Amino acid sequence: MLRPKEFIEGAINKIKDEIGDEKAIIALSGGVDSSVCSVLAQEAIGDNLTAIFVNHGLLREGEAEQVCGVFEERLNFKYIDASDEFLSELEGVKDPEEKRKIIGRVFIEVFEREAQKVEAKYLVQGTIAPDWIETEGKIKSHHNIALPSGMVLNLVEPIRDLYKDEVREVGSELGLPEKLIQRQPFPGPGLGVRVIEALTRENLAICRAADAIVREEVEKAALNKQLWQYFAVLTDTKVTGVKGDKRDFGYLVVIRLISSVDAMTATVPEMPWDVIRTISKRITSEVSEVTHVALSISDKPPSTIEFA
Ligand code: XMP
């Protein structure tokens, strides 16, 4: 069984030994893994760590503010609003794999620019056990990463032997806010994989507003602890509706409430119907562009958790 206090002490000493007096960077997403790693590395090497939080314009409502609020004071923290850059590269792109590739490439470009500014030699990463166990044998425990510019960063992975529940225990011991520790997983490409059309500021705002209602209602009903993820997807389907006494033609939003232990498989659990109805009613009345809400009832497999 993990002893969080001892783990933290050991991890800090190990990071100190590995990085010494050199500079390091970490891509902080605000998820529990990168948050825990950022705090451990900051405790170990102080301001020689720069934690870079990139806003790609695909974040959820309130997310940038929340991450900045938690870390601005606690870390040597750099917030980069790169949303214009991401959205202009993504303009007109509908294919999900193409979107993912562009988001990944632009992320590396932005991150690399920042890494060069601080002359980092090390990259701290929040890899956890399930991330590498499946590919065991192919990954060495000490390895380097070459950025496209030719800059080579040594990888430091302080929590690579932990599982998610253990990372959460360490996060609690480090005094991170409960809301952040219990945060549901959120994919790197963000709302980019939950808006099926080519991305625009407008359709992202619709998805973001619907998603905020799903989160609010699920958390209000305290169902979040039973769920792996809970979110809204903005489809590219338009549906006839009636609002007031006028015909409307708006978007179909799908809500996805899913249970899982490791995201390899997932099931749709039974949920209180009143919560689902409230979510649906709120989305169609508060998000004017939406006329219809559907509930996804597909497990993984055969579906995946995300829609794209
Ligand atoms: P799927 O959709 O493959 O998702 O069933 C499994 C889990 O992985 C998350 N996910 C991602 N996480 N980058 C990430 O960091 C990604 O590109 C990505 N795609 C999916 C998803 O949210 C779910 O928890």
Side-chain angles (χ1 to χ4, degrees):
M1 215 182 73
L2 180 84
R3 293 204 176 87
K5 263 201 180 92
E6 278 134 66
F7 173 84
I8 291 168
E9 218 179 282
I12 291 173
N13 287 332
K14 204 154 165 266
I15 298 168
K16 276 185 189 159
D17 287 346
E18 278 184 71
I19 303 182
D21 293 328
E22 299 291 349
K23 298 251 166 65
I25 47 170
I26 183 165
L28 173 63
S29 68
V32 64
D33 303 340
S34 67
S35 297
V36 164
C37 273
S38 297
V39 174
L40 287 173
Q42 171 84 20
E43 301 272 325
I45 62 166
D47 285 352
N48 274 347
L49 175 80
T50 306
I52 299 166
F53 172 51
V54 177
N55 181 349
H56 49 20
L58 311 168
L59 298 174
R60 291 166 293 179
E61 191 169 285
E63 193 162 8
E65 294 78 3
Q66 194 212 357
V67 176
C68 291
V70 173
F71 292 110
E72 238 159 15
E73 301 288 308
R74 192 159 182 173
L75 303 173
N76 180 17
F77 175 85
K78 194 156 186 191
Y79 170 67
I80 313 284
D81 183 353
S83 49
D84 286 342
E85 196 171 335
F86 277 88
L87 293 181
S88 82
E89 295 275 344
L90 285 161
E91 203 178 323
V93 178
K94 191 173 174 195
D95 179 72
E97 282 307 302
E98 194 60 25
K99 276 183 191 168
R100 282 174 182 274
K101 274 191 207 141
I102 293 171
I103 296 166
R105 171 177 58 77
V106 179
F107 188 86
I108 289 176
E109 286 166 11
V110 173
F111 192 68
E112 183 178 34
R113 267 199 316 260
E114 297 307 317
Q116 279 175 332
K117 286 185 200 160
V118 298
E119 298 180 339
K121 290 229 169 90
Y122 288 84
L123 173 67
V124 183
Q125 259 190 352
T127 315
I128 62 172
D131 299 338
W132 60 268
I133 278 172
E134 279 178 42
T135 47
E136 200 174 14
K138 293 188 198 141
I139 295 178
K140 290 183 238 158
S141 56
H142 294 280
H143 46 293
N144 301 330
I145 184 164
L147 294 177
S149 64
M151 183 179 184
V152 177
L153 293 169
N154 302 295
L155 272 189
V156 179
E157 298 176 316
I159 56 170
R160 77 188 310 274
D161 294 325
L162 302 189
Y163 288 85
K164 200 74 160 189
D165 55 329
E166 296 174 321
V167 183
R168 291 193 163 121
E169 280 181 56
V170 172
S172 281
E173 187 62 39
L174 287 168
L176 288 171
E178 194 57 22
K179 202 164 175 188
L180 190 149
I181 289 166
Q182 297 304 339
R183 208 179 95 143
Q184 56 173 324
F186 185 57
L191 299 182
V193 293
R194 296 182 182 169
V195 171
I196 309 303
E197 292 180 322
L199 305 174
T200 62
R201 284 194 186 274
E202 291 71 31
N203 59 24
L204 284 162
I206 298 167
C207 183
R208 191 175 286 122
D211 182 72
I213 292 170
V214 175
R215 285 197 286 154
E216 200 180 310
E217 292 300 327
V218 165
E219 286 163 20
K220 196 160 89 188
L223 297 169
N224 46 311
K225 293 221 166 159
Q226 304 169 33
L227 293 171
W228 172 260
Q229 278 170 299
Y230 42 102
F231 56 86
V233 175
L234 182 68
T235 72
D236 56 353
T237 299
K238 289 278 187 97
V239 185
T240 299
V242 54
K243 285 194 182 177
D245 51 7
K246 277 209 186 105
R247 179 187 182 274
D248 199 357
F249 191 57
Y251 281 104
L252 169 70
V253 159
V254 174
I255 54 180
R256 189 105 169 106
L257 311 171
I258 198 116
S259 290
S260 180
V261 273
D262 54 11
M264 301 295 288
T265 60
T267 53
V268 177
E270 283 190 23
M271 285 278 115
W273 200 239
D274 58 325
V275 176
I276 290 163
R277 286 177 66 84
T278 304
I279 291 172
S280 168
K281 280 191 177 148
R282 279 195 60 196
I283 292 175
T284 47
S285 65
E286 293 173 34
V287 189
S288 61
E289 298 88 347
V290 179
T291 47
H292 203 116
V293 174
L295 175 68
S296 163
I297 51 166
S298 294
D299 295 341
K300 175 182 179 178
S303 304
T304 55
I305 294 177
E306 304 290 347
F307 266 41

